[in-house]
Amino acid sequence: MELLSYEFAQRALIGALLIGVLAPLVGIFLVQRRLALLGDGVGHIAITGVGLALLMSWSPLPAALLVAVFGALFIEVLRDRSRVAADVAIAVVFYGGLALGVLLVSLAPGGASTKLNTFLFGSLSTVSMSDLWVLGAMTLLIILVITFWGRQLFVAGLDSEVAMVQRIPVRVLGVVLSVMAAATVVVGMRVVGLLLVSGIMVLPVAAASQFGKSFSSTLGWAVLVGVVCAVGGLLLSFQVDVPPGPSIILGALVVFILAVSWRLVRHLQGARA
Amino acid sequence: MTPQLKARDVSVSLGGATVLKNVSFELSKGEFLAVLGGNGSGKTTLLRALLGLIPISAGHVDIAASEVAYMPQRLPNIGSVPVSVKEFAEAGAVRGVRAGVKPASVQWALETVGMWPLRRRSVDSLSGGQQRLTMFARALVNRAELLMLDEPSAGVDVEHQNEVLSCLQTLKTQNTSIIYVTHELGLIEPLVDKVLVLERSERASVEYFGALPWPSGMYADVHHHHDDAALSLGANLGVSHADLSPLLKS
């Protein structure tokens, strides 16, 4: 743990903590709407943003954020205003984003492919101080939105028609959720990586859903699982010198398998009794 | 007195097909309207059109009630993340961008339908009837002036059906207007002020709109349908015509 005395490691740790809290907080509203793969689609189109930044020598974070927000809104419009189903809309953005991103990186000056790898699977050394301020501000903003409109987001996700009758701005909230998902993807880009960030949005929620009996208790458990897996996975990656993204996601996967097994055992015990 | 809801020549087309045509009716404060009709006659479509959830192709709807509550026919998708009975009922109290949940109202609504003891249970672990009672509680929780209920007692046992009806009776006396979509009058008949019978037709969708009792010919016809349904159910359960006779109306 000597590594933690280095500033880059401390910055990575703070980044992991932020995404550990934020990802399940946004992810639970996506899972509730059966949009678990939205983060995946947005993560892939953010690769286009990173590719564009590498090609034009821009800062990757704002470029990725801009393109990710565009991609998330595009999915929302396709889903809501056309006859394209949600999973197909996500797939369109997923493949289009990945293809365009790889194309732009291949056109970028030498070394861009190696840099891209750090964005795809996360990196311990790429979280800069300015990144951390941006990530912290986005996290705070999202937490404020959920504090004030969390109940409306919950009702709209539970039953959109009843929510409309109750004059809840369902469409606006859909857009807000899409933008929050895009921002979360970008917050997680540095530590977890664009290809895996959706995992930390979905797996802690899927695990917590196995033992939660209410939406609020599931949310609490999901954030706990998210923080433990993000910080634990990062510390593990310090120890064994692997990218942090895979170790964080594999940690969340282990928790998910344990939760499903626990529920299965309880179900079998209940059936025997 | 201004009606709480006024529908004038409402027509609805879905996917190029006319589902409702020229539906007109009014509902005053404290009135109970039963919307009847066979499968595909447009009962649910009418409710959704009145609520503005689907566009109407002609006519207009005026709703004077300041608060409207809606209980849809189907339970929304809740399997992906657990939702407790209490959270589900609380959802009915959230209006616009204000949170404003009153715990006493939630408790009253759940106690009214007998679901308060199960408030911590996850909704997806309940029986179909209990889920409908929870949906009914959600519609009650904000004490809206106008209630639109789509088959609220389908799948609910007789004991709880009586609780639902007794609650609706109380709300009616407190001036709540109620639209109740159902396949048959059955137990709700004593509460009903007006009946709107829908049918699939090229000319007009309304077969009958008015107060009970029915016009004489139609009354017999409705009872005939009721008896047919009872006899058919009896045959499926192996119950004889003689045993069913106390239930038959004609």
Side-chain angles (χ1 to χ4, degrees):
Chain A
M1 289 299 102
E2 198 184 311
L3 258 171
L4 283 178
S5 58
Y6 292 102
E7 272 186 25
F8 80 89
Q10 290 166 359
R11 288 197 297 270
L13 195 65
I14 294 170
L17 198 63
L18 292 177
I19 194 65
V21 172
L22 194 58
L25 213 52
V26 174
I28 194 164
F29 294 105
L30 297 179
V31 174
Q32 186 199 20
R33 287 163 165 76
R34 300 193 181 274
L35 291 173
L37 290 177
L38 181 90
D40 219 21
V42 174
H44 278 74
I45 201 168
I47 296 171
T48 296
V50 172
L52 196 65
L54 292 175
L55 180 67
M56 308 298 287
S57 301
W58 293 341
S59 170
L61 205 110
L65 181 63
L66 209 67
V67 176
V69 167
F70 169 78
L73 293 177
F74 186 60
I75 291 172
E76 182 64 16
V77 170
L78 274 184
R79 195 174 71 83
D80 193 44
R81 294 294 171 105
S82 75
R83 294 180 73 179
V84 177
D87 56 344
V88 179
I90 291 169
V92 167
V93 169
F94 182 108
Y95 297 123
L98 182 61
L100 191 57
V102 171
L103 193 83
L104 290 171
V105 169
S106 66
L107 294 173
S113 298
T114 319
K115 272 190 193 163
L116 180 67
N117 248 1
T118 66
F119 290 102
L120 295 182
F121 302 108
S123 165
L124 296 175
S125 57
T126 52
V127 186
S128 68
M129 204 56 212
S130 62
D131 283 349
L132 219 49
W133 280 112
V134 176
L135 302 186
M138 285 201 288
T139 305
L140 190 66
L141 194 65
I142 290 174
I143 289 174
L144 280 174
V145 169
I146 291 175
T147 305
F148 285 109
W149 286 347
R151 221 178 254 280
Q152 280 79 1
L153 278 166
F154 164 73
V155 178
L158 185 66
D159 192 332
S160 62
E161 291 204 335
V162 166
M164 282 184 211
V165 172
Q166 293 174 195
R167 296 190 297 276
I168 291 171
V170 173
R171 287 215 164 97
V172 174
L173 288 176
V175 171
V176 168
L177 183 60
S178 295
V179 173
M180 288 200 299
T184 306
V185 162
V186 176
V187 171
M189 175 176 86
R190 292 298 204 186
V191 178
V192 190
L194 290 172
L195 291 186
L196 293 171
V197 66
S198 182
I200 195 76
M201 293 169 90
V202 173
L203 286 172
V205 177
S209 296
Q210 304 303 311
F211 40 87
K213 280 186 179 171
S214 65
F215 192 85
S216 50
S217 69
T218 303
L219 180 60
W221 282 111
V223 169
L224 185 68
V225 171
V227 169
V228 168
C229 291
V231 173
L234 187 81
L235 296 177
L236 186 73
S237 78
F238 281 146
Q239 291 292 320
V240 292
D241 194 20
V242 290
S247 56
I248 289 171
I249 297 304
L250 285 174
L253 185 65
V254 168
V255 175
F256 171 72
I257 291 169
L258 288 174
V260 170
S261 307
W262 172 80
R263 186 166 173 148
L264 199 64
V265 168
R266 275 195 53 157
H267 180 72
L268 290 173
Q269 281 173 343
R272 278 199 201 122
Chain B
M1 190 166 56
T2 316
Q4 287 289 60
L5 188 150
K6 196 171 168 182
R8 277 280 162 269
D9 297 322
V10 171
S11 297
V12 176
S13 298
L14 293 175
T18 303
V19 183
L20 286 173
K21 202 169 178 187
N22 300 336
V23 177
S24 298
F25 71 92
E26 284 184 12
L27 189 68
S28 301
K29 273 189 178 175
E31 270 191 328
F32 190 112
L33 172 76
V35 180
L36 298 169
N39 291 329
S41 59
K43 303 186 296 297
T44 296
T45 303
L46 175 64
L47 275 200
R48 297 181 73 226
L50 295 173
L51 289 163
L53 296 171
I54 49 171
I56 56 175
S57 49
H60 60 269
V61 176
D62 292 321
I63 295 181
S66 58
E67 289 281 358
V68 182
Y70 170 48
M71 176 184 170
Q73 202 180 79
R74 291 197 181 88
L75 190 71
N77 222 342
I78 51 151
S80 45
V81 180
V83 175
S84 71
V85 166
K86 190 163 169 272
E87 287 173 331
F88 194 95
E90 281 171 351
V94 182
R95 302 276 146 168
V97 288
R98 293 177 290 126
V101 172
K102 294 174 191 152
S105 292
V106 174
Q107 183 169 348
W108 165 79
L110 286 172
E111 278 176 348
T112 299
V113 297
M115 290 301 291
W116 180 248
L118 301 178
R119 64 191 176 279
R120 292 194 180 90
R121 284 268 300 272
S122 167
V123 176
D124 63 345
S125 71
L126 302 174
S127 72
Q130 289 171 327
Q131 288 179 344
R132 291 206 69 72
L133 289 170
T134 308
M135 290 168 77
F136 182 62
R138 180 180 62 175
L140 292 181
V141 85
N142 216 44
R143 305 205 181 202
E145 290 175 3
L146 174 59
L147 275 181
M148 296 205 197
L149 310 169
D150 198 347
E151 299 193 33
S153 54
V156 176
D157 61 41
V158 176
E159 184 193 339
H160 286 98
Q161 268 189 36
N162 286 330
E163 283 176 13
V164 168
L165 296 182
S166 147
C167 168
L168 291 176
Q169 174 71 61
T170 309
L171 291 172
K172 199 164 125 53
T173 58
Q174 291 167 354
N175 263 346
T176 304
S177 308
I178 299 160
I179 300 181
Y180 190 110
V181 166
T182 181
H183 278 288
E184 56 171 13
L185 281 176
L187 292 170
I188 63 165
E189 198 165 334
L191 295 178
V192 173
D193 297 305
K194 290 177 182 170
V195 178
L196 181 75
V197 183
L198 297 176
E199 61 166 358
R200 266 198 182 281
S201 163
E202 279 304 302
R203 189 172 44 84
S205 296
V206 178
E207 187 181 358
Y208 175 72
F209 171 63
L212 288 179
W214 305 90
S216 56
M218 187 177 220
Y219 187 55
D221 189 41
V222 169
H223 277 180
H224 183 64
H225 285 314
H226 173 95
D227 292 355
D228 278 353
L231 288 167
S232 157
L233 181 65
N236 287 338
L237 296 171
V239 181
S240 71
H241 186 287
D243 291 335
L244 281 168
S245 58
L247 296 172
L248 303 182
K249 293 187 174 183
S250 56

